[in-house]
Amino acid sequence: MNKKLTVTLIALMMVLTACSPTAGEQGPAGEQGPEGPSGEVSQDAIDAAVEAALTEAPPEVGGTLVIYSGRKESLVADIIAEFAATSGVEVEVRYAKSPALAGTVVLEGAISPADVFFSQDPVSLGVIAKEGLFDRLPESVLDNVPAWAVDKNGYWVGTSGRSRSLVVDTRDVTDAELPGDIYGLADEKFRNRLGLAPTNGSFLAMVACMIESDGEEKVLDWLTTINGLGYGEYPKNSPQVAAAAAGELDIGMINHYYTLRVLAEDSSAPIKNVYLDGGCGAMVMPAGVGILSSSQNKPAAMAFVEFLHSKSAQETFTNTVYEFPLVEGIEPNALLPDINSLNSPSNLNWSALALWQEKAVELIAQAGY
Amino acid sequence: MKTPKLLLTTNVLILSLFLMPLFYLFWRFVDLSRNLSRFLNSWDVSTLLINTLFLFFAVVFTSLLMGLSISILTVRYKFPGSKILFSLTILPLVIPSYIGALTYVSAFSPKGLFVEIFSRYGLSEITGIEGFVGSWIVLTLFTYPYVQLICSSALRNLDSTVEDAARSLGVKRIKMYTSVVIPRLKKPMIYSSLLVGLYVISDFGAVSLMKYGTMTKAIYSYYVININGDPVIFYSTILIVLALIISFAQRGSEMSKSAKVSGTPREPIRIELSKRSKYLVLLFFGIVIFFSLLLPVGVLSYWLIRGISNGIQITGSLAGVAGSLTAATVTSFFAMVIATPIVVMISQYKSKFGDLFEKVTLTLYGLPHIAVGISMLFITIKIFPSIYQTFVTLIISYLIVFLPQAVGGGQASMEQVKISYIEASAGLGLSKLATFFKVTFPLIYKGLLAGAALVFLSTMKELPQTLLLRPTGFSTMAVDIWSNASEALFTQAAFSGFILLAISAFPTYILSTRNLDN
């Protein structure tokens, strides 16, 4: 009976798989290859290519591009729509949290339907880079942004910068009581006054950075103490800012731009950003993008990466999302502090942080979050 | 009669396919269990388990209390508007827990809507409702109708002469219920608490929004931060085992038939209430209806009206409506098709194997959606990549958990199909297949349709599986509500929420009352 059952089961599954690839939604993306039909390259073709390069005509791209976006729909939908409109590429976007998408890409491996991964944080990018699932990006793209915002092996490139910060309720928190670094938050005077988002990619990245620079034991100790003090758990950063503005939360561990978004709408909101002086709590991270080796439409993927460095996209990042632009010559939004005034740990190795990501998750769980 | 081979094979095949998510998780779990002690030390299994069980018992208890009170009051007592109040107290059934929780979180956050309304009376801040208390309140308010439906119909069939006798012997009212009525309602009470209990341990939306650390919330958190880690599999398996234990406690279909209690049914005497008691009863119903129906619908309306009057454009939400309707239509159609041979086998060809088969099929109902979703995600990536992130996978995973509803609907009407009909048909020289189409199907298609309608409604509001398995670019109302709410886009969330409630309210009401009348 058992054997029979197994056999029939397998047979059924085969039938099922055989009839499914046509299931519309996920058909292989654009089939046109980048190479011409024959190996030979005529002089005419070279001339045409040179001329095209000189006149900077948009590259010939098309087909379908599947983007896994760890960046929120409300932040990047317009930019992606602009890319779709100007390039003629049909874009499908899967929005989820960056770490979830990175994990999914790793799980999918070679069968990943995604062409590019657009991440909120460098650690999630590092998780994929570590598995060797990204294509190396050309120098021309990597050189668009400062070296700290680029993967050492060239597997991904930064698109905008974001700093860790504390959002504080200015009615209930004085500058004097705030610590210089993140470890200072583990203090009795902050009992029931702190907020954090334990599953947020940037928070995880910060914890990974702390493990890398200070060692597991110290980080576990810090996490346990914060947990013991009582903290407000938030699903992500933005509700912490809202809670601080509403007077429900004194200090939230967030990324800087959420506060600026609220202040841009209502400059009288009783909140402000505090940038810690050094250490992982002051980390400035790139959001970034990488092209998957398994991509079926690399020309479109590359066009998308380049588009994120365009003047238009960079200006959107800084003026509507309040992030630091990374491409030279783009004026940062007036609400932003000078990026050079921030005391972020130098020489952070994003790939090393990715290695600590799993440990960070484990420590957070171990500390009882 | 012996079960035809073709029928048996088809059913066994389908059920094995549907049990795959279970087998897959167990297989992975065996692999993990080598370092079981390490898991138990590093992860807070006991806390999550205790939190989950704590919520389970609390919600089951309060749901029973509310559901029973409403049943006894409406079935045994006379007071103005009892019929309409009975209907209104059933309606919260259509509100998915995530919509309920969302409106409660918003209304009762420290500076939420409630404070806003009462600020003119000097109220400036309240202790927000969240965590255990929040999950408890919300889940009770949206699950007690299960108890009400099942217990009230049992109570209606319960011969009231014993109660009259007890009353004439001078037994006090409360004593009469605890010693005469409730013991005889034991079976429907157990059955409905199991339904509520399964709902509670599988619930993902309410506990996530209330930030209460249960198994489902842990599974989702681990999925988000590290899907490839062991905890995802570990917790999913534990949750499934928990659900299986609860399901098996139900002892199969035995329970559902127990509502018919022996005794000559006769028109029960409904007792006239004193004036003061009438007011108290009406007040009780007022409070229940306010918190379980008016408040959530009110908050949704408030968001929608405020948003629209502030000129917020409702964009993209129609794709979610279309997505939900498409998914629900396809799923309910296939549920009906697949349920038919199963119903014929277990009702018409009664056998030991059929009984076992029935039990296993019904067990699917209680499987926590998030665990099934996680398992399907792994299975499609690792074993069947060609259907990964496709509509096909999504529909299969809906069918796995909702098939029992279609089977249940068919089974109810199958009772009309007498063996003698089939034998007569065979005697007239009709083949088995012809008999099915000419005799059986015409008698059972209404029940199957009712079952399919239940599947339609459940599919439309399903959340965790949809979040995990949907094709890129495909959305449903549930997903729209969830993702808009998590970005604080409440106008958009309210719009989808309203449409979802509007589409499901009437049919849910008709189906839930109709099924019990039969």
Side-chain angles (χ1 to χ4, degrees):
Chain A
M1 178 70 203
N2 226 341
K3 209 173 202 174
K4 216 176 185 178
L5 210 150
T6 328
V7 173
T8 36
L9 181 62
I10 292 169
L12 190 76
M13 288 320 276
M14 281 162 75
V15 173
L16 199 75
T17 25
C19 63
S20 56
T22 45
E25 330 288 332
Q26 285 302 323
E31 289 292 345
Q32 86 282 33
E35 308 92 15
S38 71
E40 282 174 59
V41 181
S42 69
Q43 187 57 43
D44 286 354
I46 293 172
D47 287 348
V50 169
E51 195 182 334
L54 288 175
T55 56
E56 288 193 27
E60 278 291 314
V61 290
T64 309
L65 183 73
V66 177
I67 300 171
Y68 275 14
S69 174
R71 310 223 51 191
K72 284 195 293 187
E73 186 167 7
S74 59
L75 299 186
V76 299
D78 290 346
I79 293 177
I80 292 176
E82 194 190 327
F83 168 73
T86 53
S87 66
V89 173
E90 199 180 311
V91 182
E92 284 179 1
V93 197
R94 194 172 186 86
Y95 292 102
K97 295 193 176 185
S98 300
L101 288 172
T104 306
V105 167
V106 171
L107 187 63
E108 290 163 354
I111 68 144
S112 180
D115 295 298
V116 291
F117 174 45
F118 188 14
S119 171
Q120 194 203 44
D121 64 90
V123 175
S124 299
L125 288 161
V127 166
I128 298 176
K130 186 179 77 179
E131 298 294 324
L133 296 170
F134 277 142
D135 264 4
R136 237 176 258 272
L137 294 169
E139 295 293 330
S140 58
V141 168
L142 300 173
D143 289 345
N144 283 339
V145 303
W148 65 266
V150 170
D151 176 49
K152 282 211 170 95
N153 297 313
Y155 284 124
W156 54 264
V157 64
T159 50
S160 56
R162 52 235 324 267
S163 173
R164 288 298 290 174
S165 75
L166 302 177
V167 55
V168 300
D169 178 348
T170 49
R171 292 162 297 192
D172 294 333
V173 182
T174 60
D175 284 351
E177 65 176 332
L178 286 170
D181 78 349
I182 198 82
Y183 290 99
L185 288 176
D187 189 300
E188 193 54 39
K189 67 183 169 193
F190 298 119
R191 178 169 290 279
N192 292 322
R193 296 173 68 192
L194 301 173
L196 54 89
T199 59
N200 175 268
S202 304
F203 181 78
L204 282 179
M206 181 180 79
V207 175
C209 163
M210 290 161 77
I211 299 172
E212 159 92 354
S213 31
D214 311 312
E216 251 179 75
E217 210 171 307
K218 190 171 175 192
V219 178
L220 180 60
D221 201 47
W222 179 79
L223 286 166
T224 314
T225 313
I226 298 279
N227 192 17
L229 288 175
Y231 64 93
E233 183 186 323
Y234 294 84
K236 50 173 88 180
N237 289 320
S238 46
Q240 297 190 63
V241 177
E248 291 165 17
L249 172 69
D250 282 358
I251 303 167
M253 297 177 222
I254 58 159
N255 289 340
H256 77 278
Y257 47 89
Y258 295 102
T259 312
L260 302 187
R261 273 168 78 186
V262 173
L263 287 173
E265 264 176 42
D266 173 12
S267 56
S268 68
I271 50 168
K272 69 168 182 177
N273 264 336
V274 170
Y275 301 91
L276 293 172
D277 189 17
C280 296
M283 180 167 61
V284 179
M285 289 171 287
V289 65
I291 298 175
L292 291 160
S293 312
S294 56
S295 165
Q296 303 280 328
N297 193 358
K298 287 180 183 168
M302 183 57 74
F304 179 65
V305 172
E306 281 166 352
F307 178 78
L308 293 177
H309 287 160
S310 71
K311 188 162 188 275
S312 147
Q314 289 288 308
E315 278 175 350
T316 309
F317 287 135
T318 190
N319 290 327
T320 66
V321 195
Y322 304 102
E323 293 180 311
F324 299 100
L326 293 181
V327 175
E328 197 141 350
I330 309 288
E331 187 65 31
N333 185 278
L335 283 170
L336 289 164
D338 179 5
I339 195 166
N340 298 315
S341 72
L342 302 175
N343 190 7
S344 174
S346 51
N347 296 324
L348 273 175
N349 180 349
W350 306 116
S351 317
L353 293 197
L355 293 173
W356 289 117
Q357 146 116 343
E358 215 165 312
K359 186 50 95 181
V361 171
E362 201 183 312
L363 291 187
I364 289 170
Q366 213 175 324
Y369 286 76
Chain B
M1 260 194 289
K2 208 168 163 289
T3 317
K5 267 222 174 80
L6 179 69
L7 188 65
L8 189 76
T9 328
T10 321
N11 287 339
V12 168
L13 267 177
I14 289 200
L15 191 63
S16 327
L17 173 71
F18 279 19
L19 287 173
M20 268 194 48
L22 253 70
F23 294 143
Y24 182 81
L25 279 181
F26 291 151
W27 173 64
R28 289 284 306 265
F29 188 79
V30 170
D31 217 32
L32 290 184
S33 58
R34 271 175 242 139
N35 2 355
L36 201 61
S37 60
R38 193 176 68 89
F39 290 155
L40 296 176
N41 289 331
S42 59
W43 296 315
D44 234 341
V45 187
S46 51
T47 311
L48 289 174
L49 210 55
I50 289 168
N51 281 357
T52 308
L53 290 175
F54 199 44
L55 189 64
F56 170 88
F57 285 115
V59 176
V60 165
F61 177 76
T62 44
S63 283
L64 268 181
L65 210 63
M66 277 177 71
L68 264 181
S69 310
I70 294 172
S71 306
I72 291 174
L73 286 172
T74 47
V75 176
R76 288 292 192 254
Y77 293 93
K78 261 192 218 163
F79 52 92
S82 67
K83 270 214 168 123
I84 184 126
L85 289 175
F86 182 84
S87 314
L88 286 174
T89 41
I90 284 180
L91 271 180
L93 206 62
V94 300
I95 302 179
S97 70
Y98 51 90
I99 294 187
L102 193 62
T103 54
Y104 265 76
V105 169
S106 147
F108 296 108
S109 75
K111 302 213 166 167
L113 210 51
F114 182 75
V115 174
E116 211 171 288
I117 292 167
F118 288 96
S119 58
R120 70 178 81 158
Y121 305 108
L123 190 70
S124 66
E125 196 170 338
I126 53 170
T127 320
I129 292 182
E130 57 170 36
F132 170 74
V133 176
S135 315
W136 183 26
I137 294 176
V138 165
L139 287 171
T140 300
L141 287 174
F142 304 107
T143 56
Y144 78 80
Y146 288 109
V147 182
Q148 180 189 347
L149 280 168
I150 292 163
C151 289
S152 64
S153 98
L155 197 61
R156 247 177 239 129
N157 294 323
L158 196 66
D159 188 359
S160 65
T161 21
V162 188
E163 291 157 53
D164 301 341
R167 205 174 288 114
S168 66
L169 289 171
V171 179
K172 286 243 167 65
R173 194 181 287 167
I174 302 225
K175 181 94 201 296
M176 204 253 310
Y177 280 107
T178 52
S179 61
V180 179
V181 179
I182 291 185
R184 289 196 297 162
L185 284 179
K186 208 167 130 199
K187 283 187 170 178
M189 276 170 65
I190 293 177
Y191 179 63
S192 51
S193 17
L194 288 169
L195 276 186
V196 172
L198 283 172
Y199 188 104
V200 173
I201 67 156
S202 313
D203 175 71
F204 160 71
V207 293
S208 299
L209 291 163
M210 289 291 176
K211 305 172 200 163
Y212 182 58
T214 62
M215 294 295 234
T216 47
K217 182 166 175 277
I219 293 171
Y220 192 69
S221 298
Y222 278 111
Y223 156 75
V224 168
I225 50 190
N226 183 12
I227 188 179
N228 299 298
D230 297 337
V232 175
I233 300 287
F234 181 71
Y235 285 122
S236 298
T237 318
I238 292 191
L239 186 62
I240 291 235
V241 171
L242 196 64
L244 289 180
I245 292 172
I246 295 173
S247 282
F248 279 115
Q250 179 185 325
R251 274 181 277 135
S253 57
E254 203 182 294
M255 287 300 179
S256 54
K257 287 166 193 155
S258 70
K260 285 167 198 151
V261 182
S262 63
T264 330
R266 66 176 185 122
E267 195 59 32
I269 300 160
R270 293 174 68 202
I271 302 156
E272 194 74 49
L273 282 168
S274 74
K275 205 164 190 189
R276 202 176 123 252
S277 311
K278 263 184 203 161
Y279 284 126
L280 280 177
V281 167
L282 290 179
L283 182 70
F284 167 74
F285 274 96
I287 292 173
V288 171
I289 292 168
F290 176 78
F291 284 103
S292 61
L293 203 61
L294 296 183
L295 191 137
V297 174
V299 172
L300 287 185
S301 321
Y302 170 79
W303 282 338
L304 200 60
I305 293 167
R306 183 188 61 181
I308 290 174
S309 64
N310 286 350
I312 292 177
Q313 294 276 319
I314 292 162
T315 51
S317 297
L318 285 175
V321 178
S324 281
L325 292 177
T326 316
T329 310
V330 175
T331 309
S332 51
F333 172 76
F334 280 104
M336 199 164 110
V337 170
I338 295 171
T340 307
I342 294 179
V343 168
V344 169
M345 182 173 88
I346 57 189
S347 308
Q348 192 172 317
Y349 304 95
K350 292 212 186 289
S351 67
K352 277 219 173 101
F353 180 75
D355 287 348
L356 177 74
F357 194 91
E358 180 182 8
K359 270 181 202 160
V360 177
T361 312
L362 292 182
T363 307
L364 291 171
Y365 172 77
L367 293 182
H369 297 187
I370 189 158
V372 174
I374 291 279
S375 188
M376 287 297 286
L377 190 74
F378 278 98
I379 292 175
T380 47
I381 291 177
K382 295 283 184 200
I383 311 175
F384 306 110
S386 53
I387 55 164
Y388 173 58
Q389 273 183 14
T390 60
F391 198 60
V392 177
T393 304
L394 189 63
I395 299 298
I396 293 178
S397 72
Y398 285 146
L399 285 170
I400 291 174
V401 289
F402 297 136
L403 179 71
Q405 296 179 340
V407 172
Q411 252 178 313
S413 52
M414 195 67 192
E415 279 167 20
Q416 300 171 36
V417 186
K418 304 265 167 13
I419 287 293
S420 52
Y421 297 175
I422 313 279
E423 284 166 353
S425 164
L428 291 169
L430 282 172
S431 73
K432 277 176 188 154
L433 219 53
T435 306
F436 171 76
F437 283 111
K438 294 212 159 135
V439 181
T440 314
F441 192 73
L443 284 167
I444 65 168
Y445 83 95
K446 274 192 182 159
L448 281 169
L449 271 180
L454 272 181
V455 175
F456 183 93
L457 291 166
S458 306
T459 306
M460 214 166 47
K461 57 186 184 193
E462 206 287 332
L463 178 65
Q465 286 183 325
T466 320
L467 279 178
L468 292 171
L469 301 171
R470 70 200 163 107
T472 299
F474 177 82
S475 185
T476 66
M477 287 184 268
V479 169
D480 283 348
I481 295 168
W482 179 258
S483 50
N484 282 324
S486 74
E487 290 202 34
L489 302 170
F490 292 119
T491 311
Q492 313 269 354
F495 177 78
S496 307
F498 249 120
I499 297 188
L500 182 57
L501 295 190
I503 298 179
S504 27
F506 187 65
T508 308
Y509 176 71
I510 297 292
L511 279 170
S512 47
T513 46
R514 191 198 96 107
N515 265 14
L516 284 151
D517 287 343
N518 290 342

